[in-house]
Amino acid sequence: MDWTRYKVDVPEGSQGNFAVKRFSVSEGDFKMNVLINAMHGSSRYVPPGTYTKLAQVSGWRDTIMSDTPDEIRDHYEPIRRAVGRCLVNGLGLGVVANGMLMNPEVEKVTCIEISQDVINLVAPHWKARWGNRFEVICADALEWKPPKGSVFDVVWHDIWVGICSDNLKDMATLHRRYGKRCGWQGSWAKALCKRQQ
């Protein structure tokens, strides 16, 4: 997989408590990151380069999502499977929606995003690129119910800011909700969350 194909070009900016920012990783940062992660038993790392992240302006978590290779690999399965009508719970930077829409066999991608600030920051960029094939609804994915009779070819759930076994309860709820409404569904980092149980 050529992960660079899925890097995003969302413009930098801020809205409410969120911001889209570019950041760089130096060769020294990379080596330190590999060493620290190895000490913690993780093979995740960020190679040198310039990336984009969705960040909290204030709060406990700076980075909500980025277009680093590990994150793109985390989302490659729904991008690879995407055809027809797709639903993505969680807009983030739009990495998944954009990757799906790069496939001409994808008719439409609907994103459910809880934060109007994130929508204001990110959605206009993708709407300008993909037009009516891209749709965003401001709602809580755990409460939003698709219109009666709605069926999706692929559903992807990514509403969590971190990898934690506590996420498994929400994943189970969402997978039950869409079990009969889609051809395939998955949740971000589900296997990693299960390992933390």
Side-chain angles (χ1 to χ4, degrees), residues 92-109:
L93 285 171
V95 169
V96 176
N98 180 57
M100 288 174 160
L101 288 162
M102 290 167 101
N103 180 352
E105 292 181 32
V106 171
E107 178 187 332
K108 186 173 190 175
V109 174

Side-chain angles (χ1 to χ4, degrees), residues 14-34:
S14 61
Q15 178 84 35
N17 196 37
F18 295 94
V20 172
K21 301 177 180 179
R22 303 280 184 264
F23 68 100
S24 295
V25 176
S26 69
E27 187 68 34
D29 294 335
F30 164 67
K31 289 177 179 174
M32 182 62 74
N33 189 256
V34 169

Side-chain angles (χ1 to χ4, degrees), residues 20-188:
V20 172
K21 301 177 180 179
R22 303 280 184 264
F23 68 100
S24 295
V25 176
S26 69
E27 187 68 34
D29 294 335
F30 164 67
K31 289 177 179 174
M32 182 62 74
N33 189 256
V34 169
L35 180 64
I36 291 169
N37 284 346
M39 288 173 16
H40 291 96
S42 172
S43 61
R44 295 175 76 88
Y45 61 86
V46 182
T50 301
Y51 304 95
T52 303
K53 69 179 176 179
L54 175 65
Q56 269 188 320
V57 175
S58 63
W60 67 275
R61 186 154 185 114
D62 174 56
T63 302
I64 305 296
M65 182 189 188
S66 68
D67 64 353
T68 59
D70 280 335
E71 287 225 38
I72 290 173
R73 276 190 284 273
D74 287 348
H75 299 290
Y76 184 63
E77 185 72 6
I79 291 171
R80 184 184 69 78
R81 289 177 173 271
V83 291
R85 298 180 65 83
C86 303
L87 177 75
V88 179
N89 281 314
L91 173 61
L93 285 171
V95 169
V96 176
N98 180 57
M100 288 174 160
L101 288 162
M102 290 167 101
N103 180 352
E105 292 181 32
V106 171
E107 178 187 332
K108 186 173 190 175
V109 174
T110 299
C111 291
I112 308 301
E113 172 56 51
I114 197 168
S115 170
Q116 186 63 54
D117 289 336
V118 171
I119 293 170
N120 293 345
L121 264 176
V122 176
H125 177 74
W126 299 122
K127 190 71 175 167
R129 179 165 298 166
W130 299 112
N132 291 334
R133 292 177 66 209
F134 175 74
E135 172 187 41
V136 180
I137 297 168
C138 186
D140 182 338
L142 292 166
E143 295 178 7
W144 184 76
K145 300 227 182 338
K148 193 170 182 177
S150 295
V151 183
F152 303 96
D153 294 282
V154 171
V155 175
W156 183 243
H157 312 292
D158 178 17
I159 60 171
W160 307 277
V161 295
I163 297 170
C164 174
S165 61
D166 293 346
N167 301 344
L168 292 168
K169 183 180 176 212
D170 291 343
M171 289 178 188
T173 298
L174 290 168
H175 279 251
R176 275 193 307 275
R177 178 172 300 158
Y178 294 98
K180 294 181 179 175
R181 289 181 174 269
C182 68
W184 179 88
Q185 68 176 320
S187 290
W188 173 64

